[in-house]
Amino acid sequence: MIRKSKPKMKINNTKFDIAIIGAGPAGIAFACGLGNLKIKVAIIDKFPKKIIANPKRDGREIALTHNSVKILKKLNVWNSIPKQSKSVIKEARVLDGESKYFLNFNHQEIQKENLGYLVPNYLIRKSLYKKLKKFSNIAIIDNAKCVSINTNKDDASIKFSNGKKIESSLIVAADSRFSKMRSKMGISAFVRDFDKNMIVCRMKHEKPHKNIAYEFFRYNQTQASLPCFKNQSSIVTTASKNSSENLMKMNDKKFNKEMENSFNKFLGKMKLIGKRYSYPMVTTYAKKFISQRFALIGDAAVGMHPVTANGFNLNLKGIEILIEEIEFSIKNKTDIGLSKMLESYQSKLHRAAIPLYLTTNSIVNLYTSNILPAKITRQFMLRLANTVKPIKQTFLNILR
Ligand SMILES: Cc1cc2nc3c(=O)[nH]c(=O)nc-3n(C[C@H](O)[C@H](O)[C@H](O)COP(=O)(O)OP(=O)(O)OC[C@H]3O[C@@H](n4cnc5c(N)ncnc54)[C@H](O)[C@@H]3O)c2cc1C
C-alpha cells in the first residue's frame, strides 16, 4: 500500500505583528481588513489551502444585515459574490403555534429597501479567500494545528503540533465557538447546550414567499424559511436530537411530506434540492474577549444561537471594532498588543453583543418551552415585542 505523505506546512517567516488562528469566515474577514496596513500578518489554519480556498456547500444561508454588507463592501468582497446568489429579505415574521398573530420586522421600519440579504455561506468564504490571497503582507500558514500560546509583557508566540513556532506582537483567535485557544489562555465561556440540532436545506415550494422570512415556533420544533430566488427557500428545522436524527435519515419523499406538514402547508408542496445538513445547537459567550497580547473574535468570542441569524453579523461588527483599534494604534505609533487598545475593543464588543445575545436566548427559552405559562407568555411577548420599542429596537438596530 502506498501511503500518501502528509502535506508539509511552510513557514518562511517566523515573526509577525498579528497572528490570526483560524481561517474561517471571521479569521479571513479580519485578515482582509488588515491587508492594506503596513504590518506583517499571519493567518493560520489546520486545513490545507485547497480546502480553505474551495469551501463546500454547508447548507447555511447567511442572512446579512446592511451593516455587514457595508463591511464586506469596505473589504472589497461583496462585489465578488455572484449577484444571482444574493437574495433579498423584505420582511421577517415570527409566529407562535397555530396563532395567526405575528411579530413583524419590516424594511420600512429601518428606512431601507429591504431588511437584508441572504447569501450561501460557502460563497462568502470563497470570496473572502479570493481577496485574502491578494495581500502581500499576509502569510497564509496552512496544515498548521496550533497547540499552545504563550504571551508575556513584550511579545507572544504560537506553537504548532509539528513543534514549529512563530512569534507575534498580538494573537487573535478565531478558532470557532469551541475555541481551544480560548481555554489555553485561561478564558472560560458561558456555554449552553440546547440539546437540539438544527437541520438546514434548500427546498422548492409551490407558493411564493414574497421575499418574507418566516419563523414558526411550534411546541416541539421550530420551522424557519428564508427566501431564496424564485420559489426556493432555505429551510431551517430545529428539533430534539432524536427527531432531527430521524429527519436526517428519512428518504427525500418522506422528508418533503414531513416539511409540508410541519409548515402546515403554508408553502404548499415542497421538494428538497440537494442535501440536508445538521448542526448541534450550542451557544457560547466568552467571559473575557482579551488577555495579555491576545484577543478573541468571531464565534470564539460569541457563538450566537442561529435563531435570529446574527452570528456572522456580530462577528463582522467585532472585527470592524478591532480593526479600528489597531489602525488607531498604528497611527499613534503605539504597540498593537497594548492592553489599553484591547480593553477598548472588549468594552465596545460587549456593548454590541450583550443585548443581542440575551434577547436571542430569552426568545429561544420562551419559544422552546412547552409548559402552559410559557405558551401564554409567548402570545403576550409577541404582542409586547411588536409594540414596546426597546425590545424590537435591539433587533432593528443590528439590521440597519
Ligand atoms: C445552521 C447555521 C446557520 C447560520 N446562519 C447565520 C445567519 O443567517 N446569519 C449570521 O450572521 N450567522 C449565521 N450563522 C453563524 C455563522 O455561520 C458563524 O457565526 C460563522 O461561520 C463563524 O465563523 P468563525 O470563523 O468564527 O468560525 P468557524 O467557521 O468555526 O472557523 C474556525 C476555523 O478555525 C480553524 N481552527 C480551529 N482550531 C484550530 C487550531 N487549533 N489550529 C488552527 N486552526 C484551527 C478551523 O479549521 C476553522 O477554519 C449560522 C450558523 C449555523 C450553524
Side-chain angles (χ1 to χ4, degrees), residues 58-200:
D58 57 10
R60 296 186 210 187
E61 308 272 349
I62 305 293
L64 292 169
T65 61
H66 289 282
N67 190 51
S68 296
V69 171
K70 196 180 89 199
I71 297 171
L72 291 174
K73 278 185 180 163
K74 208 165 144 194
L75 298 176
N76 277 318
V77 167
W78 180 247
N79 288 337
S80 65
I81 300 171
K83 219 175 172 178
Q84 66 276 15
S85 310
K86 302 169 190 160
S87 37
V88 162
I89 306 171
K90 293 259 181 205
E91 206 182 313
R93 295 182 183 176
V94 183
L95 293 97
D96 178 43
E98 307 302 315
S99 165
K100 293 223 164 20
Y101 188 83
F102 55 83
L103 169 63
N104 186 37
F105 298 98
N106 200 309
H107 65 103
Q108 280 119 0
E109 290 175 278
I110 56 164
Q111 293 92 40
K112 304 263 182 195
E113 264 182 41
N114 52 59
L115 278 186
Y117 299 85
L118 200 66
V119 184
N121 192 39
Y122 81 101
L123 290 178
I124 298 177
R125 294 178 60 193
K126 208 172 171 160
S127 303
L128 280 166
Y129 188 78
K130 215 166 121 193
K131 184 72 197 166
L132 178 76
K133 271 190 329 189
K134 296 195 174 141
F135 297 111
S136 56
N137 65 328
I138 302 178
I140 305 168
I141 304 176
D142 64 340
N143 287 306
K145 189 171 176 192
C146 303
V147 287
S148 67
I149 296 179
N150 236 312
T151 69
N152 60 47
K153 194 164 76 31
D154 303 312
D155 54 25
S157 63
I158 300 170
K159 211 167 158 194
F160 301 107
S161 54
N162 64 359
K164 290 192 179 174
K165 208 171 146 184
I166 60 166
E167 284 170 30
S168 183
S169 297
L170 174 68
I171 295 172
V172 176
D175 57 336
S176 87
R177 64 184 62 200
F178 305 108
S179 172
K180 291 250 166 47
M181 296 305 120
R182 188 174 64 206
S183 321
K184 297 255 177 226
M185 289 301 288
I187 302 176
S188 57
F190 298 102
V191 179
R192 178 142 181 226
D193 188 342
F194 287 82
D195 203 29
K196 286 179 191 281
N197 286 337
M198 188 171 244
I199 297 172
V200 285

Side-chain angles (χ1 to χ4, degrees), residues 10 52 72 94 123 147 162 192 195 226 230 233 243 275 301-303 308 317 321 331 335-336 358 362 373 399:
K10 288 185 209 134
I52 308 167
L72 291 174
V94 183
L123 290 178
V147 287
N162 64 359
R192 178 142 181 226
D195 203 29
L226 301 163
K230 296 182 181 155
S233 289
S243 314
K275 281 173 37 177
V302 184
T308 52
K317 178 87 196 139
I321 297 169
K331 205 171 131 205
D335 179 351
I336 35 178
L358 293 180
S362 52
L399 290 170

Side-chain angles (χ1 to χ4, degrees), residues 22 24-26 45-47 60 62-63 144 146 174 176 299 309 311-313 315:
D45 206 282
K46 56 187 175 189
F47 288 116
R60 296 186 210 187
I62 305 293
C146 303
S176 87
D299 277 15
F312 188 53
N313 290 311
N315 293 172

Side-chain angles (χ1 to χ4, degrees), residues 159-286:
K159 211 167 158 194
F160 301 107
S161 54
N162 64 359
K164 290 192 179 174
K165 208 171 146 184
I166 60 166
E167 284 170 30
S168 183
S169 297
L170 174 68
I171 295 172
V172 176
D175 57 336
S176 87
R177 64 184 62 200
F178 305 108
S179 172
K180 291 250 166 47
M181 296 305 120
R182 188 174 64 206
S183 321
K184 297 255 177 226
M185 289 301 288
I187 302 176
S188 57
F190 298 102
V191 179
R192 178 142 181 226
D193 188 342
F194 287 82
D195 203 29
K196 286 179 191 281
N197 286 337
M198 188 171 244
I199 297 172
V200 285
C201 61
R202 229 351 140 94
M203 295 190 86
K204 238 190 208 170
H205 41 82
E206 198 180 11
K207 295 186 186 165
H209 49 55
K210 298 182 184 156
N211 292 93
I212 302 172
Y214 291 95
E215 188 115 34
F216 295 88
F217 286 99
R218 307 226 177 276
Y219 301 129
N220 295 314
Q221 202 163 299
T222 306
Q223 288 298 149
S225 65
L226 301 163
C228 302
F229 278 96
K230 296 182 181 155
N231 278 12
Q232 284 187 20
S233 289
S234 166
I235 300 298
V236 186
T237 306
T238 312
S240 68
K241 297 264 179 198
N242 271 347
S243 314
S244 58
E245 273 158 27
N246 283 339
L247 285 169
M248 286 300 285
K249 273 192 259 162
M250 64 179 58
N251 66 38
D252 289 5
K253 210 170 152 193
K254 212 167 160 205
F255 181 78
N256 293 341
K257 267 270 156 300
E258 185 70 30
M259 287 298 110
E260 281 170 27
N261 294 336
S262 297
F263 276 95
N264 268 353
K265 309 262 186 327
F266 183 81
L267 293 165
K269 280 204 175 316
M270 297 174 76
K271 189 170 185 266
L272 181 70
I273 308 169
K275 281 173 37 177
R276 289 160 252 177
Y277 303 81
S278 177
Y279 294 92
M281 278 300 80
V282 180
T283 64
T284 55
Y285 195 108

